[in-house]
Amino acid sequence: MIAIVKAAFNSHITDLLEASCTDYLQEQAYPFETFECPGAVEAVVYANKLLQNNKYTSIIVIGAIIKGDTDHYDYVCQYVTNGISQLSANYTTPIVFGILTTQNEELAYERAAIDRMNKGKEFAETALFMINAFNKL
């Protein structure tokens, strides 16, 4: 079973990513559970807790960090990137980095819209690829 952790912050983007991710998993008949947390920073903590359960074959972390007028963007991006990297190094469960980090809302929407890049679907494809690859080891 795959766990999807979705940040609620910038939900107009993360909801689209989640929808295309879960649509693809349903098409593939792969079971999943979704969880929501306040933002991308909290998604790292949530993923860590789920990894400790040892219940999931993969964790997909979905979020959208959009640059604003302050340095907060840089700190959040750094924290989330380092946090997920650390989790990936400490656990053998594949973690998919489904966090958009964009310079503006238009670029985030371009990557989240189902009729465009459809990154949510890519997150699901990556999770299934990694699960299959790990099963072969």
Side-chain angles (χ1 to χ4, degrees):
M1 179 174 299
I2 292 175
I4 300 169
V5 179
K6 183 194 76 152
F9 195 79
N10 288 318
S11 63
H12 60 292
I13 300 297
T14 60
D15 287 349
L16 292 170
L17 293 168
E18 178 189 23
S20 56
C21 181
T22 58
D23 286 350
Y24 184 76
L25 291 174
Q26 288 171 342
E27 288 171 14
Q28 301 304 309
Y30 203 94
F32 62 89
E33 288 183 305
T34 58
F35 304 90
E36 188 170 282
C37 61
V41 169
E42 295 80 16
V44 174
V45 177
Y46 212 123
N48 184 38
K49 185 65 174 171
L50 291 172
L51 287 163
Q52 292 172 12
N53 292 342
N54 216 13
K55 175 181 175 182
Y56 301 99
T57 53
S58 180
I59 310 275
I60 301 172
V61 182
I62 294 176
I65 308 169
I66 301 171
K67 189 167 179 71
D69 295 331
T70 69
D71 294 338
H72 185 70
Y73 168 85
D74 297 319
Y75 299 126
V76 172
C77 288
Q78 182 178 359
Y79 177 90
V80 172
T81 302
N82 290 341
I84 292 179
S85 295
Q86 191 173 25
L87 292 177
S88 294
N90 291 334
Y91 290 92
T92 57
T93 301
I95 303 168
V96 178
F97 188 91
I99 307 287
L100 299 183
T101 57
T102 61
Q103 298 298 307
N104 57 53
E105 198 161 327
E106 182 181 321
L107 292 171
Y109 183 74
E110 181 70 28
R111 286 153 180 76
I114 292 171
D115 61 341
R116 303 224 178 133
M117 284 188 195
N118 201 349
K119 291 293 184 182
K121 179 182 177 187
E122 288 182 27
F123 303 154
E125 290 172 331
T126 301
L128 294 179
F129 179 92
M130 292 301 291
I131 291 166
N132 289 330
F134 277 34
N135 286 338
K136 292 177 185 177
L137 296 177

